[in-house]
Amino acid sequence: MKVLVIGPGGREHAIVRSLLADPNVSEVHAAPGNAGISALVPTYAIDANDPDAVAALAVKLTVDLVVVGPEAPLAAGVSDAVRTAGIPVFGPSKAAAQLEASKAFAKEVMAEAGVPTAMARVAGTAEEAADALDTFGAPYVVKDDGLAAGKGVVVTNNRDEALAHAQSCFDAGGAVVIEEFLDGPEVSVFVLCDGSNTVALSPAQDFKRIFDNDEGPNTGGMGAYTPLEWAPEGLVQEVIDRVAQPTVNQMAHRGTPFVGVLFVGLALTSRGTRVIEFNVRFGDPETQAVLARLKTPLGGLLMAGAKGELDKVQPLRWTKDTAVAVVVAAENYPDTPRTGDRIRGLKKVDALDGVHVIHAGTKLDGEGKVVSAGGRVLAVVALGTDLVEARERAYDGVELVQLDGSQFRTDIGGKAARGQIRVAAPGTPAASKAKA
């Protein structure tokens, strides 16, 4: 089959790599791609958020499947345009993408489906926000209701800071969702959906804060690892039974069937498993780690999802290895990242045993050299026999990357490697709140 992957980042690079490893995939194309993707497959400089442009490219290339990576094209209706053109697409419709595009909508669907989640209130004014903050108390959790590329959430003990974030969302014409704080370690589970059926991938854990020890502002994600040896037995089945399948059923009942990835962000709290939020696409950087372990051919899985045939797929196969992804970010990320700097050492990283580089914010300059072009520039992904070895290999690779002013976290998977993450049984004192 011929596949077109839409998106410019690390998630899309990881998807392209996995598709190329599928013996049933004859061609892969990408739009717009990045420097790493363009080294592997043909790329096309179109606006990924333009439904008509994407559909026209898919028709021109006569592809058999379109895979939409980022949330913005999904919210813009790219999947709808491709489906209208008669081409199977793995990615939800504009209506179904509201599960990520609107936190308030997601809460409404969760309530209808009986999905366990944090108590929350929607606020559209400073007065409503202040009242909600006082209702739930500190730590305060304030989320931009709309898309914010993983950076629209503020968790703080400072009430003034929480109010200021809410006001910034109001000033931009939006609303906020204010929630109770959920204790316990966080987990990401990607669930493939075909409108009726669900298949879960291996859980991962990511790290949102820019600095070690979960300090500093939220980012799109600074690293991830999988599998989670400390996760409770039966977690994946619980996510399917209590979260993903009820949500897919409810979306179908609403007349907006969900086809694509339901990214379930969880907190394993002292009161049980709770959903933090939904996203409607593969997460970044968790995808880089999860797909590095997947042995089941990806193209066949995504096509089954697009065609409503996930009930026919065999149980997924995984390597026994652990995967770690460490993001290398540009100077001044996540504020106004510095771009245009040469990146050196990538071939040396790829030469390491069990290690590869995933490009995110990269492009080729006028001389054909790889330069930075975004906040999260790349990820170094490593496989190892256990988390300790995978971490060592990943950080060996990171040390070889040369990018002026770059930054990375040194503690991705650190606490788990030291056996320091505990999940509290419901009704007992909270488990560790930190992720590291």
Side-chain angles (χ1 to χ4, degrees), residues 217-258:
N218 269 342
T219 72
M222 292 300 293
Y225 68 96
T226 184
L228 310 181
E229 298 296 339
W230 50 266
E233 186 176 355
L235 174 63
V236 171
Q237 193 60 50
E238 180 186 9
V239 170
I240 291 292
D241 293 342
R242 299 187 64 202
V243 179
Q245 195 63 55
T247 299
V248 168
N249 293 345
Q250 185 61 32
M251 292 297 285
H253 177 71
R254 281 172 161 258
T256 53
F258 188 90

Side-chain angles (χ1 to χ4, degrees), residues 157-418:
N157 286 306
N158 186 317
R159 186 174 181 275
D160 290 339
E161 183 182 351
L163 277 173
H165 179 62
Q167 189 61 54
S168 69
C169 296
F170 301 148
D171 292 343
V176 296
V177 174
I178 295 175
E179 298 183 351
E180 64 170 328
F181 177 78
L182 296 176
D183 61 35
E186 296 180 11
V187 176
S188 300
V189 181
F190 302 151
V191 183
L192 308 183
C193 309
D194 66 5
S196 301
N197 305 290
T198 53
V199 174
L201 303 188
S202 174
Q205 186 177 60
D206 83 324
F207 298 74
K208 288 295 186 191
R209 304 277 188 166
I210 185 66
F211 301 128
D212 285 5
N213 302 313
D214 294 317
E215 296 180 354
N218 269 342
T219 72
M222 292 300 293
Y225 68 96
T226 184
L228 310 181
E229 298 296 339
W230 50 266
E233 186 176 355
L235 174 63
V236 171
Q237 193 60 50
E238 180 186 9
V239 170
I240 291 292
D241 293 342
R242 299 187 64 202
V243 179
Q245 195 63 55
T247 299
V248 168
N249 293 345
Q250 185 61 32
M251 292 297 285
H253 177 71
R254 281 172 161 258
T256 53
F258 188 90
V259 175
V261 177
L262 183 65
F263 172 175
V264 183
L266 301 166
L268 307 188
T269 80
S270 55
R271 292 175 292 138
T273 302
R274 296 289 186 272
V275 174
I276 300 171
E277 65 179 359
F278 286 146
N279 293 320
V280 297
R281 35 69 190 182
F282 284 109
D284 186 340
E286 297 99 321
T287 298
Q288 289 85 309
V290 171
L291 292 187
R293 294 188 59 243
L294 181 65
K295 293 178 70 175
T296 300
L298 182 63
L301 277 179
L302 301 187
M303 181 63 91
K307 289 188 171 183
E309 299 175 350
L310 281 175
D311 56 327
K312 299 178 182 178
V313 305
Q314 298 297 311
L316 303 187
R317 295 179 292 112
W318 302 89
T319 71
K320 294 181 179 180
D321 292 330
T322 294
V324 172
V326 179
V327 170
V328 177
E331 182 178 351
N332 205 39
Y333 177 75
D335 295 321
T336 306
R338 174 174 152 180
T339 59
D341 292 309
R342 276 286 307 277
I343 307 168
R344 295 177 171 86
L346 301 183
K347 290 182 180 179
K348 293 181 179 179
V349 181
D350 282 327
L352 295 176
D353 187 30
V355 182
H356 63 271
V357 174
I358 292 290
H359 289 243
T362 67
K363 68 177 183 180
L364 298 178
D365 65 11
E367 300 177 358
K369 305 296 185 182
V370 179
V371 298
S372 60
R376 290 183 297 165
V377 180
L378 54 87
V380 175
V381 183
L383 291 168
T385 55
D386 56 23
L387 184 53
V388 172
E389 182 179 63
R391 291 186 77 247
E392 289 176 352
R393 288 178 169 182
Y395 282 109
D396 284 346
V398 169
E399 292 297 334
L400 294 175
V401 176
Q402 298 177 44
L403 172 62
D404 289 346
S406 63
Q407 53 181 326
F408 60 90
R409 283 183 59 158
T410 66
D411 62 348
I412 304 301
K415 276 195 173 181
R418 297 189 296 273

Side-chain angles (χ1 to χ4, degrees), residues 33-161:
N34 58 38
I37 294 173
S38 66
L40 299 175
V41 301
T43 57
Y44 306 85
I46 66 168
D47 180 357
N49 297 333
D50 184 334
D52 291 337
V54 173
L57 178 61
V59 170
K60 179 181 178 181
L61 295 174
T62 64
V63 297
D64 303 295
L65 175 68
V66 174
V67 180
V68 184
E71 60 273 24
L74 295 168
V78 164
S79 290
D80 303 81
V82 174
R83 286 193 181 95
T84 299
I87 299 173
V89 57
F90 187 78
S93 65
K94 182 176 182 178
Q98 285 292 105
L99 281 176
E100 178 170 0
S102 170
K103 303 289 190 299
F105 175 83
K107 285 291 186 183
E108 182 180 303
V109 172
M110 285 187 232
E112 293 170 351
V115 170
T117 187
M119 292 185 292
R121 285 168 58 178
V122 179
T125 67
E127 292 74 19
E128 291 173 349
D131 185 60
L133 291 174
D134 293 339
T135 297
F136 294 128
Y140 303 108
V141 181
V142 184
K143 298 181 177 180
D144 189 336
D145 182 49
L147 296 178
K151 293 175 282 189
V153 181
V154 164
V155 181
T156 179
N157 286 306
N158 186 317
R159 186 174 181 275
D160 290 339
E161 183 182 351

